[in-house]
Amino acid sequence: MKTDFVLSDFPGRSATFLGKLSRNNNRDWFEANRELYNSDFLGPAVQFVLEMGDLLFELDPDIIAIPKIDKSIFRLHRDVRFSKDKSPYKTNMGLYFWNGKAKKSDATGFYFHIEPKLFGVAAGLYMPPPYLLKKFRDAVVKPDVGNELHLITKKLERKYEIGGKKFKRFPKGYDADFPYSDLLLYEGIYAWYESSNLKELARGKAAVKIFKIFKEMLPLYKWLTKNLY
């Protein structure tokens, strides 16, 4: 799939569109501006997925990058059935590239996020299902394997946030006294970078900049794919 969009002004135009959507979060405005959605949101997203997919394939031949809605491009439409907020649309762009050894919802991957005034970059595993959480815990309690993850996270913490720590109590059946027991408090684990300076990605730098961050986060991604799948 190809588009005519050039990423020289990405994500500026997309962020501007999302800003307009956040001020006009209703179906009438969206339908009246569907061409703007196609040109400033969907077109750039498709092209970015294509370019980033090619780059990530060099790091992992099993990477999945599909430039379609509900594949690598998260849909804008919100499920409002059980939400007090009835706004019909999300006001961010979410793009995901995942390891093909698991289905998308269970897979370790790389994530890129844009809002009107910020962007975020992540790699890792977010809120895994119970069977994967158990595999994660069983891996980190192995001395050599847990030590490897400990060293990876400590190095990444020099530049990035390590997210996923959720639990306050250690899970039953695991020894809380081993050296890396703190990792048992995580529900998934991921490295995260956030910036309010969209100019970091201006003038065609988006793919190169984001790929550089993904590459620095690669050791965490590789640990997860090696030990969980």
Side-chain angles (χ1 to χ4, degrees):
M1 179 179 180
K2 296 289 184 182
T3 74
D4 295 328
F5 187 87
V6 179
L7 288 176
S8 59
D9 52 359
F10 177 78
R13 277 170 51 184
S14 300
T16 298
F17 169 80
L18 291 167
K20 292 177 181 177
L21 179 61
S22 67
R23 296 188 294 272
N24 302 277
N25 201 328
N26 62 79
R27 289 182 177 83
D28 288 343
W29 184 90
F30 186 85
E31 290 304 324
N33 289 273
R34 184 169 285 276
E35 287 188 10
L36 192 64
Y37 161 78
N38 289 330
S39 65
D40 289 13
F41 182 93
L42 186 57
V46 166
Q47 189 61 33
F48 185 86
V49 169
L50 289 168
E51 294 194 17
M52 185 57 68
D54 288 343
L55 292 172
L56 289 174
F57 184 79
E58 299 174 8
L59 304 182
D60 180 6
D62 291 321
I63 204 74
I64 303 295
I66 302 175
K68 295 182 179 179
I69 298 294
D70 286 335
K71 298 296 184 180
S72 286
I73 305 170
F74 285 86
R75 62 170 53 238
L76 275 183
H77 293 76
R78 296 180 64 247
D79 184 351
V80 299
R81 290 174 297 173
F82 308 106
S83 174
K84 292 182 180 179
D85 180 3
K86 298 302 180 180
S87 302
Y89 305 105
K90 303 172 188 174
T91 56
N92 65 76
M93 176 187 289
L95 306 176
Y96 193 54
F97 310 85
W98 68 97
N99 181 272
K101 294 179 181 178
K103 62 182 180 180
K104 177 184 173 183
S105 59
D106 295 357
T108 298
F110 299 96
Y111 177 68
F112 180 43
H113 177 99
I114 300 170
E115 294 184 20
K117 295 183 180 180
L118 65 83
F119 71 93
V121 187
L125 182 64
Y126 182 70
M127 295 182 65
Y131 84 94
L132 268 184
L133 181 58
K134 184 178 187 307
K135 290 186 74 171
F136 173 78
R137 289 169 171 170
D138 290 345
V140 299
V141 297
K142 298 175 183 177
D144 291 345
V145 180
N147 180 60
E148 183 185 5
L149 180 58
H150 170 74
L151 294 175
I152 288 169
T153 55
K154 289 303 176 184
K155 184 175 181 179
L156 286 172
E157 281 177 347
R158 298 171 189 170
K159 290 185 68 174
Y160 305 115
E161 176 186 347
I162 300 298
K165 190 173 183 179
K166 175 183 177 182
F167 303 108
K168 295 183 179 179
R169 296 182 179 181
F170 291 100
K172 293 180 180 179
Y174 294 89
D175 182 5
D177 294 326
F178 80 101
Y180 315 115
S181 60
D182 187 64
L183 293 169
L184 293 174
L185 300 177
Y186 282 77
E187 183 187 33
I189 189 167
Y190 54 90
W192 173 256
Y193 172 78
E194 183 176 301
S195 174
S196 59
N197 183 13
L198 289 170
K199 292 181 179 179
E200 288 184 54
L201 308 181
R203 298 186 297 277
K205 296 178 181 178
V208 173
K209 170 73 175 183
I210 301 307
F211 179 68
K212 180 177 182 292
I213 297 173
F214 282 159
K215 197 170 182 178
E216 291 177 347
M217 295 176 173
L218 182 64
L220 177 59
Y221 171 90
K222 283 190 170 182
W223 186 95
L224 289 162
T225 55
K226 178 175 67 175
N227 291 291
L228 300 190
Y229 306 102

